[in-house]
Amino acid sequence: MSRPKMTSLHPEKTQRIYKLPELIIQQGHQIQKSKLQGPWIVKGKRARAESTNPVQDRPHEHTHGCPSPQARMGGSEGDTRNSDDQKDDIPVENYVAQRYIENPYLIGGRKFDLRVYVLVMSYIPLRAWLYRDGFARFSNTRFTLNSIDDQYVHLTNVAVQKTSPDYHPKKGSKWMLQRFRQYLTSKHGPQAVETLFRDMDNIFIKSLQSVQKVIISDKHCFELYGYDILIDQDLKPWLLEVNASPSLTASSQEDYELKTCLLEDTLHVVDMEARLTGREKRVGGFDLMWNDGPVSREEGPPDLSGMGNFVTNTHLGCVNDRKKQLRQLFCSLQVQKKASS
């Protein structure tokens, strides 16, 4: 049987992103009144200081805000060298330009994005786990497009928000995903929320599949990714970026507990003690969502004919009774081991 295909991402759910050389950005003002009507976010090397998170980048109207090649090279307007020589001397630096989502979903008038954790144990075949917990990161200032250069309005990163005059260190600026899912359910109903989270599942899998053939796959390695997802007013998810080795710094006690449990469960899935059978669909807070094909919530081999009643084995934002599950899992494994000895 051929492997079933995941539903393809709809074009309107895929954020428009371009990888631009520096000189094109410098010349952007010449075309900004045509097809590149802003605002846009431009990310360069300086945005990769912490888990490729663009904490220093701000939305730019069209393509303004990049330093000139002369300024970067220490040159001047009066430089008399041949223009071709100047071009050869200018180092090529790539930027990523993303169209800014102008209609984000707001809670209390404030913008937020979601941090979701995905553990990849193998790329060939693709084997990926989704963590049940995560958080929503909020800005401390009410959202408006009238102040496009105000980073406290548009950037939700804690590294930015903690410098805001309104930031409260004890309260922080995060919601756990369970609270966020409950809020959406009370506002929009369970069916709309299920659709939203199913669309996010699709983003996780499609993004991993898109790099499956170019990332080196080593059975002795694993990678924990931090996905940043933005929700718009129509409850459509947008992938902002995928962070390798995401920051595990805690900004509150609740955040500390989430991340310590995340690390503990990551090591349980990695299973250096070789206690697992390899057939587990859940380990602690992690649910196996892809194992060289979609994983069903139901026990036994899934019926993939038509995929009509197929329900993916994901529980993002649901109850995470990880301690109880781990006790049951390891007790069951001990019983199996004794029975086979």
PDB file of all heavy atoms in Angstrom, residues 200-227:
ATOM      1  N   MET A 200      -2.564  23.194  12.312  1.00  0.00           N
ATOM      2  CA  MET A 200      -1.215  23.314  12.870  1.00  0.00           C
ATOM      3  C   MET A 200      -0.463  21.995  12.759  1.00  0.00           C
ATOM      4  O   MET A 200       0.729  21.975  12.431  1.00  0.00           O
ATOM      5  CB  MET A 200      -1.279  23.794  14.326  1.00  0.00           C
ATOM      6  CG  MET A 200      -1.601  25.271  14.455  1.00  0.00           C
ATOM      7  SD  MET A 200      -1.253  25.937  16.102  1.00  0.00           S
ATOM      8  CE  MET A 200      -2.617  25.268  17.035  1.00  0.00           C
ATOM      9  N   ASP A 201      -1.150  20.870  13.007  1.00  0.00           N
ATOM     10  CA  ASP A 201      -0.515  19.563  12.822  1.00  0.00           C
ATOM     11  C   ASP A 201       0.017  19.430  11.401  1.00  0.00           C
ATOM     12  O   ASP A 201       1.117  18.915  11.169  1.00  0.00           O
ATOM     13  CB  ASP A 201      -1.524  18.439  13.087  1.00  0.00           C
ATOM     14  CG  ASP A 201      -1.947  18.345  14.541  1.00  0.00           C
ATOM     15  OD1 ASP A 201      -1.232  18.899  15.400  1.00  0.00           O
ATOM     16  OD2 ASP A 201      -2.987  17.729  14.817  1.00  0.00           O
ATOM     17  N   ASN A 202      -0.775  19.880  10.453  1.00  0.00           N
ATOM     18  CA  ASN A 202      -0.384  19.805   9.047  1.00  0.00           C
ATOM     19  C   ASN A 202       0.862  20.640   8.770  1.00  0.00           C
ATOM     20  O   ASN A 202       1.748  20.231   8.013  1.00  0.00           O
ATOM     21  CB  ASN A 202      -1.551  20.284   8.176  1.00  0.00           C
ATOM     22  CG  ASN A 202      -1.391  19.897   6.720  1.00  0.00           C
ATOM     23  OD1 ASN A 202      -0.728  18.924   6.399  1.00  0.00           O
ATOM     24  ND2 ASN A 202      -1.991  20.667   5.843  1.00  0.00           N
ATOM     25  N   ILE A 203       0.950  21.804   9.406  1.00  0.00           N
ATOM     26  CA  ILE A 203       2.130  22.659   9.252  1.00  0.00           C
ATOM     27  C   ILE A 203       3.376  21.955   9.776  1.00  0.00           C
ATOM     28  O   ILE A 203       4.444  21.984   9.138  1.00  0.00           O
ATOM     29  CB  ILE A 203       1.909  24.003   9.975  1.00  0.00           C
ATOM     30  CG1 ILE A 203       0.926  24.876   9.197  1.00  0.00           C
ATOM     31  CG2 ILE A 203       3.237  24.747  10.165  1.00  0.00           C
ATOM     32  CD1 ILE A 203       0.582  26.180   9.883  1.00  0.00           C
ATOM     33  N   PHE A 204       3.267  21.319  10.939  1.00  0.00           N
ATOM     34  CA  PHE A 204       4.424  20.635  11.518  1.00  0.00           C
ATOM     35  C   PHE A 204       4.954  19.565  10.557  1.00  0.00           C
ATOM     36  O   PHE A 204       6.157  19.499  10.288  1.00  0.00           O
ATOM     37  CB  PHE A 204       4.056  19.986  12.858  1.00  0.00           C
ATOM     38  CG  PHE A 204       3.492  20.941  13.877  1.00  0.00           C
ATOM     39  CD1 PHE A 204       2.460  20.553  14.728  1.00  0.00           C
ATOM     40  CD2 PHE A 204       3.976  22.233  13.977  1.00  0.00           C
ATOM     41  CE1 PHE A 204       1.944  21.430  15.656  1.00  0.00           C
ATOM     42  CE2 PHE A 204       3.449  23.128  14.910  1.00  0.00           C
ATOM     43  CZ  PHE A 204       2.425  22.713  15.747  1.00  0.00           C
ATOM     44  N   ILE A 205       4.053  18.742  10.048  1.00  0.00           N
ATOM     45  CA  ILE A 205       4.472  17.637   9.185  1.00  0.00           C
ATOM     46  C   ILE A 205       4.996  18.147   7.849  1.00  0.00           C
ATOM     47  O   ILE A 205       6.050  17.706   7.373  1.00  0.00           O
ATOM     48  CB  ILE A 205       3.304  16.653   8.968  1.00  0.00           C
ATOM     49  CG1 ILE A 205       2.920  15.993  10.286  1.00  0.00           C
ATOM     50  CG2 ILE A 205       3.680  15.595   7.928  1.00  0.00           C
ATOM     51  CD1 ILE A 205       4.042  15.220  10.942  1.00  0.00           C
ATOM     52  N   LYS A 206       4.296  19.079   7.227  1.00  0.00           N
ATOM     53  CA  LYS A 206       4.712  19.578   5.919  1.00  0.00           C
ATOM     54  C   LYS A 206       6.064  20.273   5.982  1.00  0.00           C
ATOM     55  O   LYS A 206       6.890  20.159   5.073  1.00  0.00           O
ATOM     56  CB  LYS A 206       3.659  20.536   5.348  1.00  0.00           C
ATOM     57  CG  LYS A 206       2.443  19.842   4.771  1.00  0.00           C
ATOM     58  CD  LYS A 206       2.827  19.022   3.559  1.00  0.00           C
ATOM     59  CE  LYS A 206       1.612  18.358   2.925  1.00  0.00           C
ATOM     60  NZ  LYS A 206       1.988  17.543   1.747  1.00  0.00           N
ATOM     61  N   SER A 207       6.320  21.004   7.055  1.00  0.00           N
ATOM     62  CA  SER A 207       7.606  21.699   7.183  1.00  0.00           C
ATOM     63  C   SER A 207       8.745  20.694   7.324  1.00  0.00           C
ATOM     64  O   SER A 207       9.828  20.888   6.766  1.00  0.00           O
ATOM     65  CB  SER A 207       7.581  22.663   8.375  1.00  0.00           C
ATOM     66  OG  SER A 207       7.351  21.956   9.584  1.00  0.00           O
ATOM     67  N   LEU A 208       8.522  19.606   8.058  1.00  0.00           N
ATOM     68  CA  LEU A 208       9.552  18.585   8.208  1.00  0.00           C
ATOM     69  C   LEU A 208       9.764  17.823   6.905  1.00  0.00           C
ATOM     70  O   LEU A 208      10.900  17.519   6.529  1.00  0.00           O
ATOM     71  CB  LEU A 208       9.175  17.618   9.330  1.00  0.00           C
ATOM     72  CG  LEU A 208       9.139  18.208  10.740  1.00  0.00           C
ATOM     73  CD1 LEU A 208       8.604  17.185  11.739  1.00  0.00           C
ATOM     74  CD2 LEU A 208      10.513  18.698  11.169  1.00  0.00           C
ATOM     75  N   GLN A 209       8.677  17.538   6.216  1.00  0.00           N
ATOM     76  CA  GLN A 209       8.796  16.838   4.937  1.00  0.00           C
ATOM     77  C   GLN A 209       9.536  17.676   3.900  1.00  0.00           C
ATOM     78  O   GLN A 209      10.239  17.142   3.040  1.00  0.00           O
ATOM     79  CB  GLN A 209       7.413  16.460   4.410  1.00  0.00           C
ATOM     80  CG  GLN A 209       6.744  15.335   5.183  1.00  0.00           C
ATOM     81  CD  GLN A 209       5.353  15.041   4.673  1.00  0.00           C
ATOM     82  OE1 GLN A 209       4.638  15.918   4.190  1.00  0.00           O
ATOM     83  NE2 GLN A 209       4.945  13.775   4.776  1.00  0.00           N
ATOM     84  N   SER A 210       9.407  18.995   3.996  1.00  0.00           N
ATOM     85  CA  SER A 210      10.028  19.873   3.005  1.00  0.00           C
ATOM     86  C   SER A 210      11.555  19.842   3.083  1.00  0.00           C
ATOM     87  O   SER A 210      12.233  20.172   2.107  1.00  0.00           O
ATOM     88  CB  SER A 210       9.530  21.313   3.189  1.00  0.00           C
ATOM     89  OG  SER A 210      10.023  21.877   4.389  1.00  0.00           O
ATOM     90  N   VAL A 211      12.108  19.478   4.251  1.00  0.00           N
ATOM     91  CA  VAL A 211      13.571  19.424   4.411  1.00  0.00           C
ATOM     92  C   VAL A 211      14.060  17.999   4.629  1.00  0.00           C
ATOM     93  O   VAL A 211      15.228  17.784   4.917  1.00  0.00           O
ATOM     94  CB  VAL A 211      14.024  20.316   5.588  1.00  0.00           C
ATOM     95  CG1 VAL A 211      13.680  21.771   5.327  1.00  0.00           C
ATOM     96  CG2 VAL A 211      13.398  19.849   6.907  1.00  0.00           C
ATOM     97  N   GLN A 212      13.173  17.043   4.480  1.00  0.00           N
ATOM     98  CA  GLN A 212      13.500  15.654   4.794  1.00  0.00           C
ATOM     99  C   GLN A 212      14.681  15.131   3.990  1.00  0.00           C
ATOM    100  O   GLN A 212      15.512  14.376   4.507  1.00  0.00           O
ATOM    101  CB  GLN A 212      12.267  14.779   4.542  1.00  0.00           C
ATOM    102  CG  GLN A 212      12.411  13.349   5.011  1.00  0.00           C
ATOM    103  CD  GLN A 212      11.126  12.567   4.817  1.00  0.00           C
ATOM    104  OE1 GLN A 212      10.178  13.052   4.205  1.00  0.00           O
ATOM    105  NE2 GLN A 212      11.086  11.349   5.334  1.00  0.00           N
ATOM    106  N   LYS A 213      14.809  15.565   2.746  1.00  0.00           N
ATOM    107  CA  LYS A 213      15.849  15.025   1.871  1.00  0.00           C
ATOM    108  C   LYS A 213      17.167  15.798   1.951  1.00  0.00           C
ATOM    109  O   LYS A 213      18.156  15.369   1.353  1.00  0.00           O
ATOM    110  CB  LYS A 213      15.349  15.020   0.429  1.00  0.00           C
ATOM    111  CG  LYS A 213      14.178  14.075   0.192  1.00  0.00           C
ATOM    112  CD  LYS A 213      13.749  14.070  -1.265  1.00  0.00           C
ATOM    113  CE  LYS A 213      12.587  13.119  -1.503  1.00  0.00           C
ATOM    114  NZ  LYS A 213      12.159  13.103  -2.929  1.00  0.00           N
ATOM    115  N   VAL A 214      17.183  16.918   2.645  1.00  0.00           N
ATOM    116  CA  VAL A 214      18.411  17.727   2.681  1.00  0.00           C
ATOM    117  C   VAL A 214      19.078  17.726   4.053  1.00  0.00           C
ATOM    118  O   VAL A 214      20.230  18.133   4.169  1.00  0.00           O
ATOM    119  CB  VAL A 214      18.125  19.185   2.248  1.00  0.00           C
ATOM    120  CG1 VAL A 214      17.642  19.223   0.818  1.00  0.00           C
ATOM    121  CG2 VAL A 214      17.119  19.854   3.169  1.00  0.00           C
ATOM    122  N   ILE A 215      18.372  17.293   5.079  1.00  0.00           N
ATOM    123  CA  ILE A 215      18.977  17.232   6.412  1.00  0.00           C
ATOM    124  C   ILE A 215      19.605  15.858   6.620  1.00  0.00           C
ATOM    125  O   ILE A 215      18.979  14.833   6.333  1.00  0.00           O
ATOM    126  CB  ILE A 215      17.934  17.520   7.510  1.00  0.00           C
ATOM    127  CG1 ILE A 215      17.516  18.995   7.449  1.00  0.00           C
ATOM    128  CG2 ILE A 215      18.473  17.177   8.890  1.00  0.00           C
ATOM    129  CD1 ILE A 215      16.622  19.435   8.575  1.00  0.00           C
ATOM    130  N   ILE A 216      20.822  15.852   7.102  1.00  0.00           N
ATOM    131  CA  ILE A 216      21.531  14.595   7.339  1.00  0.00           C
ATOM    132  C   ILE A 216      20.797  13.805   8.412  1.00  0.00           C
ATOM    133  O   ILE A 216      20.518  14.310   9.499  1.00  0.00           O
ATOM    134  CB  ILE A 216      22.985  14.855   7.762  1.00  0.00           C
ATOM    135  CG1 ILE A 216      23.744  15.574   6.644  1.00  0.00           C
ATOM    136  CG2 ILE A 216      23.676  13.553   8.136  1.00  0.00           C
ATOM    137  CD1 ILE A 216      25.156  15.976   7.024  1.00  0.00           C
ATOM    138  N   SER A 217      20.477  12.566   8.105  1.00  0.00           N
ATOM    139  CA  SER A 217      19.755  11.706   9.041  1.00  0.00           C
ATOM    140  C   SER A 217      20.721  10.712   9.663  1.00  0.00           C
ATOM    141  O   SER A 217      21.365   9.934   8.959  1.00  0.00           O
ATOM    142  CB  SER A 217      18.624  10.977   8.316  1.00  0.00           C
ATOM    143  OG  SER A 217      17.868  10.206   9.228  1.00  0.00           O
ATOM    144  N   ASP A 218      20.839  10.760  10.974  1.00  0.00           N
ATOM    145  CA  ASP A 218      21.720   9.861  11.716  1.00  0.00           C
ATOM    146  C   ASP A 218      20.897   9.217  12.827  1.00  0.00           C
ATOM    147  O   ASP A 218      20.286   9.908  13.645  1.00  0.00           O
ATOM    148  CB  ASP A 218      22.893  10.642  12.306  1.00  0.00           C
ATOM    149  CG  ASP A 218      23.968   9.741  12.914  1.00  0.00           C
ATOM    150  OD1 ASP A 218      23.604   8.669  13.438  1.00  0.00           O
ATOM    151  OD2 ASP A 218      25.145  10.113  12.857  1.00  0.00           O
ATOM    152  N   LYS A 219      20.874   7.903  12.865  1.00  0.00           N
ATOM    153  CA  LYS A 219      20.044   7.204  13.847  1.00  0.00           C
ATOM    154  C   LYS A 219      20.493   7.461  15.279  1.00  0.00           C
ATOM    155  O   LYS A 219      19.768   7.160  16.231  1.00  0.00           O
ATOM    156  CB  LYS A 219      20.040   5.702  13.566  1.00  0.00           C
ATOM    157  CG  LYS A 219      21.404   5.035  13.722  1.00  0.00           C
ATOM    158  CD  LYS A 219      21.321   3.546  13.431  1.00  0.00           C
ATOM    159  CE  LYS A 219      22.680   2.857  13.619  1.00  0.00           C
ATOM    160  NZ  LYS A 219      22.585   1.400  13.334  1.00  0.00           N
ATOM    161  N   HIS A 220      21.700   7.999  15.458  1.00  0.00           N
ATOM    162  CA  HIS A 220      22.207   8.290  16.794  1.00  0.00           C
ATOM    163  C   HIS A 220      21.919   9.721  17.228  1.00  0.00           C
ATOM    164  O   HIS A 220      22.354  10.133  18.304  1.00  0.00           O
ATOM    165  CB  HIS A 220      23.719   8.042  16.852  1.00  0.00           C
ATOM    166  CG  HIS A 220      24.117   6.643  16.481  1.00  0.00           C
ATOM    167  ND1 HIS A 220      23.768   5.557  17.231  1.00  0.00           N
ATOM    168  CD2 HIS A 220      24.823   6.159  15.417  1.00  0.00           C
ATOM    169  CE1 HIS A 220      24.251   4.455  16.674  1.00  0.00           C
ATOM    170  NE2 HIS A 220      24.890   4.793  15.565  1.00  0.00           N
ATOM    171  N   CYS A 221      21.210  10.473  16.411  1.00  0.00           N
ATOM    172  CA  CYS A 221      20.954  11.892  16.695  1.00  0.00           C
ATOM    173  C   CYS A 221      19.455  12.167  16.789  1.00  0.00           C
ATOM    174  O   CYS A 221      18.634  11.398  16.289  1.00  0.00           O
ATOM    175  CB  CYS A 221      21.560  12.773  15.604  1.00  0.00           C
ATOM    176  SG  CYS A 221      23.345  12.615  15.432  1.00  0.00           S
ATOM    177  N   PHE A 222      19.118  13.267  17.444  1.00  0.00           N
ATOM    178  CA  PHE A 222      17.734  13.732  17.497  1.00  0.00           C
ATOM    179  C   PHE A 222      17.763  15.253  17.516  1.00  0.00           C
ATOM    180  O   PHE A 222      18.812  15.874  17.718  1.00  0.00           O
ATOM    181  CB  PHE A 222      17.008  13.184  18.737  1.00  0.00           C
ATOM    182  CG  PHE A 222      17.550  13.716  20.044  1.00  0.00           C
ATOM    183  CD1 PHE A 222      17.026  14.859  20.626  1.00  0.00           C
ATOM    184  CD2 PHE A 222      18.595  13.073  20.694  1.00  0.00           C
ATOM    185  CE1 PHE A 222      17.523  15.353  21.826  1.00  0.00           C
ATOM    186  CE2 PHE A 222      19.103  13.558  21.890  1.00  0.00           C
ATOM    187  CZ  PHE A 222      18.561  14.707  22.453  1.00  0.00           C
ATOM    188  N   GLU A 223      16.613  15.871  17.302  1.00  0.00           N
ATOM    189  CA  GLU A 223      16.536  17.333  17.313  1.00  0.00           C
ATOM    190  C   GLU A 223      15.204  17.759  17.910  1.00  0.00           C
ATOM    191  O   GLU A 223      14.148  17.239  17.535  1.00  0.00           O
ATOM    192  CB  GLU A 223      16.658  17.888  15.897  1.00  0.00           C
ATOM    193  CG  GLU A 223      16.743  19.410  15.826  1.00  0.00           C
ATOM    194  CD  GLU A 223      18.077  19.947  16.322  1.00  0.00           C
ATOM    195  OE1 GLU A 223      19.085  19.718  15.651  1.00  0.00           O
ATOM    196  OE2 GLU A 223      18.083  20.607  17.380  1.00  0.00           O
ATOM    197  N   LEU A 224      15.270  18.696  18.862  1.00  0.00           N
ATOM    198  CA  LEU A 224      14.074  19.297  19.439  1.00  0.00           C
ATOM    199  C   LEU A 224      13.887  20.669  18.807  1.00  0.00           C
ATOM    200  O   LEU A 224      14.775  21.518  18.885  1.00  0.00           O
ATOM    201  CB  LEU A 224      14.216  19.428  20.953  1.00  0.00           C
ATOM    202  CG  LEU A 224      13.024  20.073  21.675  1.00  0.00           C
ATOM    203  CD1 LEU A 224      11.788  19.182  21.590  1.00  0.00           C
ATOM    204  CD2 LEU A 224      13.379  20.356  23.142  1.00  0.00           C
ATOM    205  N   TYR A 225      12.741  20.879  18.172  1.00  0.00           N
ATOM    206  CA  TYR A 225      12.460  22.144  17.488  1.00  0.00           C
ATOM    207  C   TYR A 225      11.413  22.951  18.249  1.00  0.00           C
ATOM    208  O   TYR A 225      10.490  22.385  18.850  1.00  0.00           O
ATOM    209  CB  TYR A 225      11.937  21.889  16.070  1.00  0.00           C
ATOM    210  CG  TYR A 225      12.941  21.262  15.133  1.00  0.00           C
ATOM    211  CD1 TYR A 225      12.834  19.925  14.762  1.00  0.00           C
ATOM    212  CD2 TYR A 225      13.999  21.996  14.609  1.00  0.00           C
ATOM    213  CE1 TYR A 225      13.750  19.337  13.897  1.00  0.00           C
ATOM    214  CE2 TYR A 225      14.920  21.420  13.752  1.00  0.00           C
ATOM    215  CZ  TYR A 225      14.791  20.091  13.403  1.00  0.00           C
ATOM    216  OH  TYR A 225      15.700  19.523  12.550  1.00  0.00           O
ATOM    217  N   GLY A 226      11.562  24.263  18.206  1.00  0.00           N
ATOM    218  CA  GLY A 226      10.556  25.172  18.731  1.00  0.00           C
ATOM    219  C   GLY A 226       9.862  25.883  17.584  1.00  0.00           C
ATOM    220  O   GLY A 226      10.478  26.700  16.901  1.00  0.00           O
ATOM    221  N   TYR A 227       8.610  25.554  17.352  1.00  0.00           N
ATOM    222  CA  TYR A 227       7.824  26.177  16.283  1.00  0.00           C
ATOM    223  C   TYR A 227       7.151  27.441  16.797  1.00  0.00           C
ATOM    224  O   TYR A 227       6.557  27.431  17.879  1.00  0.00           O
ATOM    225  CB  TYR A 227       6.740  25.220  15.781  1.00  0.00           C
ATOM    226  CG  TYR A 227       7.215  24.222  14.741  1.00  0.00           C
ATOM    227  CD1 TYR A 227       8.023  23.154  15.087  1.00  0.00           C
ATOM    228  CD2 TYR A 227       6.830  24.350  13.419  1.00  0.00           C
ATOM    229  CE1 TYR A 227       8.447  22.237  14.148  1.00  0.00           C
ATOM    230  CE2 TYR A 227       7.252  23.443  12.459  1.00  0.00           C
ATOM    231  CZ  TYR A 227       8.062  22.392  12.829  1.00  0.00           C
ATOM    232  OH  TYR A 227       8.473  21.486  11.881  1.00  0.00           O
TER     233      TYR A 227
END
